[in-house]
Every structure is written in structure tokens, then in C-alpha cells.
Amino acid sequence: MQDGYTTPDGRQIGPVLLDLKNITLRFGGVEAIKNISFDIREGEIRAIIGPNGAGKSSMLNVISGFYVPQEGEIWFKGHRRGPMKPYEVARLGLARTFQNIALFDGMSVLDNIMTGRMNMMKASLFSQALWWGKAEREETANREQVEKIIDFLEIQNIRKTPVGRLPYGLKKRVELARALAAEPRILLLDEPMAGMNVEEKEDMCRFILDVNDEFGTTIALIEHDMGVVMDLSDRVVVMDYGRKIGDGTPDEVRNNPEVISAYLGVAHE
Ligand SMILES: Nc1ncnc2c1ncn2[C@@H]1O[C@H](COP(=O)(O)OP(=O)(O)OP(=O)(O)O)[C@@H](O)[C@H]1O
Ligand SMILES: [Mg+2]
């Protein structure tokens, strides 16, 4: 178990990649996260669920470096991670999407996806300005990778379209494409299927599973649709009022009485 295990459907789950220990996050008097610990294993699809305001997005923001918790430790691949800026976390191989779509509406799909590669462009400004050597090779590699993702997510036909003109479901897919452009080891998705119709949800589920399967990407996602969570995830963390009230396989959390009374038993949006 320590080094990994095989799931009932034959997928390989590796050792712990990200370990969150006793995380507490406060906004003034509000404790958004109260002493929460859980881990994310290499290759797994890990869901975070819970009612509105439970602290789920705050938790993703802690993982991605947008918020620095007042207490607790974050360990990445067996090393303790100090306070980091989001771009530093991105360089460790984390990419994310946002609960509210954060794309550039006036820019094309292709250009939006290219912005996902920004943090990977390591050539100096000097060589970029002269368009020499390394910068040129990087630009070519960037284009190739972006084209690969466009094919993978089946959005060739909208590559030149300004994002502002796209329907909601496709915008979400472009946001996923931009995150994938960074070639992340860990992908954080904040409600990737919120507001989608059934068909769009099915597509998004398939893409998430394919990303995990083909690229071996570890995925942590927040999702309200329990059917989706049960279908997709290997393990589920359940939050309520900033606390962790459940953690286990979909079946384990589904049968956890505290989870049922706090979340599963009630209607929510
Ligand atoms: N930047 C912030 N400043 C102040 N309070 C915040 C901030 N971000 C979140 N909170 C508060 O922290 C708590 C948890 O919010 P969070 O957005 O993490 O919940 P959530 O589980 O993602 O909810 P939802 O399902 O509605 O997206 C809420 O009480 C919220 O008002
Ligand atoms: Mg949220």
C-alpha cells in the first residue's frame, strides 16, 4: 500500500505524491479549513466533495499556492514544500482550472492554450528577442505540444475562434486544454462540469479519464455531481464547514453516516 496498489479495474496507483498535513486556513475570523490532512497518490483521481462553502476551493487554492495556510505542512514527493508563489508551484508540475472560467475572451482558443505554456518558456528574453537557437526550438516545441492537446480534446474546428464566442461547455474544455498545455503531473480541477448539460458532462468525464490514462496525470477535482464523482474517482475527501468528515473509496464515503447526514442526504446546487 505504501508504494502503491492496483485498483479493482486494474489501474496502477503509485506512492503518495502530495501530502497535506494539519492544514488550517483563516480569512480574518473565518476558518475556511480546519486542521485537515489527506494525501494524493501518484496516478490517482482524487475527488473533493462537500456542501457550498465547505472550503473545497480554498483547499485547491492552498495546494496551488494561491493561499498560504496559517498552519500545517505540505509535502511534495517526500520533501516539505515551503511557502511558494503560484508560479513556483506550477514549476513543480501543478496546473489548474478555476471554478469561474478564467480565460481571455478576446483571444483565440489557440492563443489561450499557448498561455498555459508560459511558465515553461525558459529561454532568456535576450535570445527570444533575437529569435535564436533555444527560443526558436522552444517555440516549435510549444506549438507541437499545443497542437497535440487540441487534437486530444477534439477542438480543432474552433482553434481560431475567440473564446468569448464559445458556448459554456467548450470554454470549460479550452480551460482544461490550457492547463494540460503545461504538461502537469498534477491537475487540479475546480468543478470542471458545473453548469454543463448531460452530454457535455459525459464528454468531460471521458477527457478526464483519458488524460489520467494516457498521460498518467494525477488529478484532484472538486465536483458536486455524485454520479460523476462515483464513476471517476479512486478516493474521495468529504469536507463540511472547513472540516474533513470523510475520506475513502467512493463506496466507503457513500456509506459513511456523517457524510450522508451532512451532504448526501440534502439537495444542493
Ligand atoms: N478570499 C476569501 N476571503 C474571505 N473569505 C473567503 C475567501 N475565500 C473563501 N472564503 C470563505 O471560506 C469559506 C470556504 O469557501 P470556499 O470557496 O473554499 O468553499 P467551497 O467549498 O469551494 O464552496 P462552493 O461549493 O460554493 O464553491 C466560505 O465561508 C467563504 O466565504
Ligand atoms: Mg468552490
Side-chain angles (χ1 to χ4, degrees):
M1 185 72 186
Q2 194 168 5
D3 290 331
Y5 63 97
T6 306
T7 64
D9 55 355
R11 290 168 50 248
Q12 287 298 320
I13 305 297
V16 171
L17 195 54
L18 199 66
D19 203 0
L20 299 140
K21 301 183 184 181
N22 305 103
I23 303 288
T24 294
L25 176 74
R26 296 183 201 94
F27 297 107
V30 178
E31 258 190 351
I33 301 175
K34 298 173 180 147
N35 193 25
I36 287 193
S37 302
F38 69 97
D39 60 34
I40 300 174
R41 286 176 169 274
E42 179 117 49
E44 88 176 327
I45 302 182
R46 188 74 148 121
I48 303 174
I49 67 170
N52 296 120
K56 306 177 298 294
S57 293
S58 299
M59 185 54 92
L60 276 205
N61 283 323
V62 164
I63 297 173
S64 60
F66 276 66
Y67 296 153
V68 178
Q70 281 82 7
E71 288 164 38
E73 298 177 2
I74 301 173
W75 290 66
F76 181 68
K77 289 171 73 183
H79 299 281
R80 185 168 174 191
R81 197 177 99 183
M84 280 186 168
K85 299 270 186 315
Y87 75 89
E88 294 173 308
V89 176
R91 289 206 173 140
L92 292 178
L94 268 89
R96 65 173 299 182
T97 64
F98 293 83
Q99 185 164 355
N100 300 310
I101 294 170
L103 293 166
F104 301 103
D105 272 353
M107 280 164 50
S108 71
V109 166
L110 183 67
D111 288 342
N112 266 281
I113 301 172
M114 279 299 274
T115 65
R117 291 202 62 90
M118 296 285 219
N119 68 334
M120 304 191 71
M121 297 195 197
K122 295 196 187 71
S124 71
L125 280 176
F126 179 69
S127 63
Q128 277 188 18
L130 292 176
W131 196 246
W132 268 357
K134 191 157 184 252
E136 190 172 356
R137 282 198 300 278
E138 281 191 11
E139 176 71 14
T140 309
N142 284 334
R143 292 265 164 206
E144 279 171 10
Q145 181 62 21
V146 165
E147 291 301 336
K148 203 167 103 187
I149 289 159
I150 286 174
D151 284 349
F152 186 79
L153 294 180
E154 299 165 12
I155 47 179
Q156 301 93 333
N157 56 333
I158 54 160
R159 57 209 293 294
K160 295 273 166 62
T161 309
V163 160
R165 290 212 210 121
L166 297 176
Y168 185 79
L170 276 178
K171 283 187 187 169
K172 288 283 221 192
R173 204 187 297 182
V174 173
E175 228 200 350
L176 174 63
R178 182 177 60 181
L180 287 179
E183 297 180 64
R185 286 178 70 126
I186 304 182
L187 185 60
L188 309 172
L189 306 173
D190 196 343
E191 303 201 19
M193 279 158 270
M196 287 187 169
N197 63 37
V198 174
E199 196 185 327
E200 289 169 332
K201 275 189 189 185
E202 281 172 4
D203 283 343
M204 187 54 99
C205 274
R206 177 166 58 89
F207 288 127
I208 290 171
L209 286 170
D210 285 352
V211 166
N212 173 256
D213 187 39
E214 292 204 20
F215 306 137
T217 314
T218 303
I219 295 170
L221 84 158
I222 298 172
E223 182 51 50
H224 280 294
D225 184 323
M226 284 314 294
V228 167
V229 168
M230 296 295 156
D231 279 353
L232 279 186
S233 48
D234 297 302
R235 287 189 300 161
V236 186
V237 176
V238 191
M239 292 180 70
D240 186 33
Y241 292 112
R243 293 180 308 122
K244 183 172 100 168
I245 59 168
D247 190 353
T249 63
D251 273 337
E252 281 165 359
V253 299
R254 188 163 42 189
N255 294 312
N256 175 331
E258 202 180 348
V259 174
I260 292 168
S261 68
Y263 185 52
L264 299 180
V266 296
H268 55 80
E269 220 342 83

